[in-house]
Structure formats: structure tokens, C-alpha cells
Amino acid sequence: MWIDPSRPAERALVTHGHADHARSGHGAVWATPETLAIMALRYGTEMGTPMPYGDGFEANGVKISFHPAGHVLGSAQILLEHAGERVVVTGDYKRRFDPTCAPFEAVACDVLITEATFGLPVFTHPPIEDEIAKLLAARAAHQEGCILIGAYALGKAQRVIAELRRAGYDAPIYIHGAMQKMCDLYAAHDVALGELILATGLAKAEMKGAIVIAPPSALNDRWAQRLPDPITAMASGWMRVRQRARQRNVELPLVISDHADWTELTDTLLELRPSETWITHGRTDALGRWCELHQLKARALDLVGREEEEEG
Amino acid sequence: MQAFSALIDGLIYTRSRDHKVRLIADYLRNTPDPDRGWALAALAGTLSIATVKAAAIRAMAEERFDPMLFRMSRDYVGDTAETVALMWPEVSADAVAPTVSEVIDLLNSTSRARAPIVLAGLMDRLDANGRYALLKLATGGMRVGISARLAKTAFGQAFDLSVDDVEEVWHALRPPYAELFAWGEGKSDRPDPADSAFFRPFMLAHPLEDGIVDLDAYAAEWKWDGIRIQIASTGGETRLFSRGGDEVTAAFPEIAAAFNGIGVVDGELLVRGDVQGGEAASFNALQQRLGRKNVTAAMQAEYPVFVRLYDILFDGAEDLRSLTWTARRERLERFAAQLDPLRFDLSAIIAARDFNHLAEMRAAAREAEIEGVMLKRRDSPYLAGRKVGLWYKWKREPLVADCVMMYAQRGSGKRSSFYSDYTFGCWTPDGALLPVGKAYSGFSDAELKWLDRFVRDNTVARFGPVREVEKSLVLEVAFDAVHESKRHKSGIAMRFPRISRLRRDKPADEADTIAALRAMIG
């Protein structure tokens, strides 16, 4: 039995729906109902055993259960219990408020297998309210054009939309065609996104003063040429570093991440105080060093198939 | 400080030049004195805070952070100031941000030893963007893609003045430029610095790509390989300026002392020697004299310098810049007659029959170790900057060699995540590779991506930020000259090396030998 296998496996436990964790072609899949819905949307009619948060089952004497990770809709940590020993695999997680998914739950454990995507002390995600305010100010100052935001189609896009709504922005939000189905799926799971309009095929004039959301790959693409004088924004934790934003030709960096920042990663370790920590994808070296400085036993796991700097 | 840090970030993320100018102009109009003057100085590169050096920032970081975590972070971010700004603990809600002038005053009034403490105190009062702007301001390297010229253009735009009018008085004024802003806002006349020796912008040349010019219309001179220098003297005071307008008087006191004319002249500073047509030493010799704040008598004796004069801008108080080159040349010859021939001579006009003859002479110039030829329109006035069609530089063709990539290092700034600095080597007779140079330019963005991928996929060892790679990739390297050097184990070094082509087709063992490179030494 594998967790988030990068190759088709007979039996797979899947933490969440992002493509580098949820691959297609497995035999049997256990995941939260939301994650299964996302996989079905992406890969067609895949079946699996739904595991709502808190539920579990037993296999080979190991009790397996799923707990909220706060990363995206349906994201879960996986707890493995055997002979009194508890192992938690965080998958990707964050600890900040997110109106589009269930909040992270700290699960006591002996071994913590943690992500470290933003595992460098330079990564502190600012309050999302500040970033949304920055976005709305840029829009107000650029009524003749539009703001084009690059955001991953699963999770980030819906979170940005929901946060805009929470800040009182109730105008229609324009979306790239690649996001529509995922937005519909979120709405079907009671995540209120307000009025969304497909940006494809509209005249430039219709989108003046608008906020448009597209996958990052569309930002510098021909697709964006149909928009009225767009300011290019990007919602990602990587935007914290100026040159990362510049390398992607981003004019309005929005530091919005669905991963734990350095403080969240280290605070979680201090809170759980696992007797051993395994660090998976991301900046394993720096978080390992921090563990050493804080007398926490840690080791890095090199995983294949995890691209550096893919999501953020 | 918030307005200034917002400006800096705006400039970093804005790609359009016009938009950058507008951002700066808005800031200069809407910010009070003296903050805006300090900011203008920071953008134009004229702000220098003697108490803060890059080492102070590192010292401050090492005090606060675990050195390993700092190094890993620095390696990722690619910029020390930004790394420190991002790692610094978040500001408390009740902190009051300092103004730009408060920052300048505090740093200027402290000592170098105490500067890190003062700086840390300021850091505690700023958010992450403010901390970044503070560190950039304190160390003087803004790196926001703004040239001094663009900063002056923005000042001109803010107050509806022509940039050439601004340029003309700029170098006589000092930060925070109160007189300049008073003039801009119409509260006073244009500053009149006539009684001081100050820098006037150089006239510069375009490269002659592949055209032919008529020697009846253009005069030809040799292109000397030293440093361009301007001498300005009021009689009471003589000052020397380099290309960018930086004062270099202290580095060449014998030149300032020997200059007994009154006026402003333009020339090339050279070391006496028997290279460069048998008249001057190589640039390498001049390098021994550069970058020194003070110079010993022994240095002056070992590397005797002189100035080869090109042009005259002022004779006494008379501004000659609107005259033709021909008329100025005549005035220069008369002016030079009064100067000490040991320290000053005239750049000779090349007597070529026609352009083809000149081309032959240029082709022979490599033997004489001369960099190339300058072509100056005989009827051109002396204008600031590069003006199309007036002056051309016609450098000799670069030399090239096929070298093998040995090591790569991550770049900084825009290239911070890319392996963009390459050390390359050539073969010894017994089949070993020895480094002969390092280059970080000459390739396109697409080639950089490919090179970065090559480095990552072919790493054989890591030494901190440096990766040693599989010795399999041939780089064609272009360079201006090669000379003896103790810096490299190979005993030779290149001048201005840059990657001219990726020779993915060429097997590494067919790259050039050290002996072949050595044969190119002058």
C-alpha cells in the first residue's frame, strides 16, 4: 500500500487532488470524498473508497485514518497506527484560515512525515487580507485595463475568489476556461464563489476594470492578448522573493500560498514534538538544520516525481 | 520610508521604461525635501554612506541568524540584502517607520563599528519591503534597472525641464539636491556652478557595425585601451573624472598636479610602456593603478601615467562644445602646447588615404596591440551621450577559442536561480583541463535555460554554490586579448571573455589547448 504514489500502484492512499500527489491509473484508491470527486473530474470515472475526515479502516494490522490538512478542498493528512505507534503523513498543508476547505487539525504522533515546500526562513506568508487589499487597490487604480491573476486551477484560484468575496468584492470575476469545471466542483461542495464568467470569447471592452483569473501557464500566452491592457499578477508563495516574480514577468506579486510557511512548519514541529521527523519534498536541508538546532531528530527523504517550485 | 520602498518595488516589477519614469517623477513631485533628494541620489547612484558596507549587512545577519540557515537562504534568494530583509523578524504593530532622511542622518552620524547596531534598530521599525529598501539604500546598490540618466530624465519630467539642462549642472551639485528641486519648482534660477571644477557628460561613440564611412567627413584616431578621463580645472582647483563622472583625482595626483591649463579636456589615461603601438603599456598595467584611493610614490614610479588628449570642452571659461570637431581640434592643439609633454600628448589623426586603407591599417593593429579605430564626424559638436552618426568606434574583431565548461555558479539578481557563471578550461599537453577564464554573458535567455539544465543534469561535485560539471560541453569563448596571469593555474587570463556560441556539436577533446591560447598573447 502506497501513499501518493508517483506511479500506478495496486493500492493507493491519496492525500489530495494535485497532480503530483494524485496520479491516475491506480488499482484501489482511498481518499476523502472531495479528493475522489476531484480525481474523477480530472481522470474520468475513477472509483475509490471515500474516507471522510476522521474515518479510517484497517489493513495488515495498521489502522489508517484521514484528517484535515487545510491545503485545498478535500486535502488530508494520513494517520497510521500500529502497536501503539502513530505515524502522520501531512501531505501538503497550511494552518491559516481558508474559506474553501476544512482547517488543519494537529494530530499527535511519534513520527511526522512533513512537507517542506517553503522550508526556508525567508518564507513568511503575509496575512492574505493585505494581499487582497493590494489586489483591490491595483484594480481601482487601473480601471481602463484589467488585472490578470495567475493561480493554480485547483485550490488557489477558488481561494482567491472566495477571499475577494470575503473582502466585499461582488462584481463578476472572469475565469479562464481551464478553471470552470473545478470552480463548479467547489461550488457543488458549498464553497460560495459568487458570479463567475468565462473570459473566453468576450470583447476587450467587456473586461475593462475586471479581475481575470487564469492558470499561470496562460499569463504570458497568446490567450492573454485578448484582455484589455492587463496588469499581470500571480498568487503564489514564491512571489515573496522579488527575482522569482521578475523571472515570471509578474508586475503585481501576490504572496498567497496554500502551503505552510517557515513559521507554520516550525511551529507545527514544536507543537507536535514528534520523536522523529521525516522531511519530504521541498527545502529538506534547511528544515533539517532547524530540527538539529532544536534537538529534534530528523531526516530528509528524497522523493522522486516531486518538481521543485511547481505549486505554491 | 514607505513611499520610498513602494517606489523601489514599483520599479522592480515594472517593465516599461516610460512607466518607470512616471513612477519616479510622481514620487519626486509628491515627496518633501530632503527625502526626495536622497531618493534621487540613491537612484542615480550618487548616494554613498561611508559607514555601511556590504560586510556590515553580513555581520548583522550572522549575529541574528544561524549561519547555515542564512547561507542556504542566501543561496536560494541570490541577494544578501533581500535575504536579510526577508528573514528578519516581523515588525511589531506599534513601530514607527523612519523617514528616508532620518535613515541617512542616523547612518551618517555613526561609526563603521556601530553601523550594524544602528541598522538593526532601523530594521526593527520596518516591514519586509521597507527593510529591503533600507538595506539597498544603505549599501548604495539599488539594482532596480534605473540608470543615472533615467533618474535625471524622471527629474526633468517631474518638473518639465529638459534632461540635458539637468545633466549640465548635475555634477556640480551634491545630494540631497536642494538647489535642483528649488530650480525645478521655479523657486530659484538654475544653479550656476561656474566657479567650481565639475564633470560634464562625455560624448560617446556607437559601434560601427558594417558600414563604410567617408574619410572626408570623418577623422580617424586609434582607439587607445586605457580609461576615458576628463580633466576640469578652474586654475585654483583641478579634478579628474572617469566615464561615469566619478572623481578619480586622488588615484592620479601627478596628472592633476601637472595640468597647468584652465578649462575642460577629454582624453585617455594610459600607462607609459612599449605595447599599444609602442607607446603605452597594456590595460593590465593600468589596472594596477585603478581603484586605489591613495597611491604611493613607488606606484607612481613603477606605472607612470599620462593622458592622451582627444577633445576640448572648455578653454578657460569659454564653452567650445557647440563648435565643430575640426574647430575644437585646432583649439585643442593650441591648448595642449602649454602642457607638460611628459604627462600630456595629443591623440594623433590617422593618415589614411581612404576607408580601405584605414581598414588595412586596422587589420594590422592587432600586431601593434591597439584596440581599434575611432571615427569622428568632422562637423560634429560635442554632445552628451551617444548620438547616432557622429562618433563611431570600430574595434578589431574579437579572438575566439573553444573551451570546456568545468564549473558553474548560480548568478545573482535576475539570474539568482540559474547557473549562469561558467568557469572554462583548455587542455594541457598531458590531457588535463586547466581553467583559463570565467564568463557570464553572451548567451540568450533560451541558451541560459539550456545551460542551467545542462549544469543540473551533469553535476559531478558540489562546493557550496559552485557545481563541478562533467567535462563534456564545449563553449566558444570570444575575448579581446589574452595575457599572462598568476590568477589561474594555466598562467594565462582573458580580457572581456564572453560565451559566443554553444558548441554542442563539438567533442570536448577537440577543444583548444593552453598552448594555442598562449600563442595569442600579444
Side-chain angles (χ1 to χ4, degrees), chain B residues 487-500:
Chain B
R487 274 233 311 273
H488 294 296
K489 216 191 280 175
S490 61
I492 50 178
M494 294 170 172
R495 179 144 150 79
F496 291 143
R498 59 263 180 199
I499 310 294
S500 57

Side-chain angles (χ1 to χ4, degrees), chain B residues 217 219 310-315 318-336 346 349 376-382 391:
Chain B
Y310 293 138
D311 216 318
I312 183 163
L313 289 74
F314 283 76
D315 186 351
E318 187 188 353
D319 188 348
L320 306 181
R321 288 174 294 177
S322 58
L323 301 184
T324 63
W325 176 86
T326 307
R328 291 200 312 278
R329 174 76 193 187
E330 194 215 315
R331 293 289 294 265
L332 176 67
E333 286 172 11
R334 265 195 277 154
F335 185 89
L346 284 167
I349 307 300
K376 297 176 178 174
R377 234 184 116 94
R378 294 178 194 272
D379 62 1
S380 61
Y382 194 99
W391 287 12

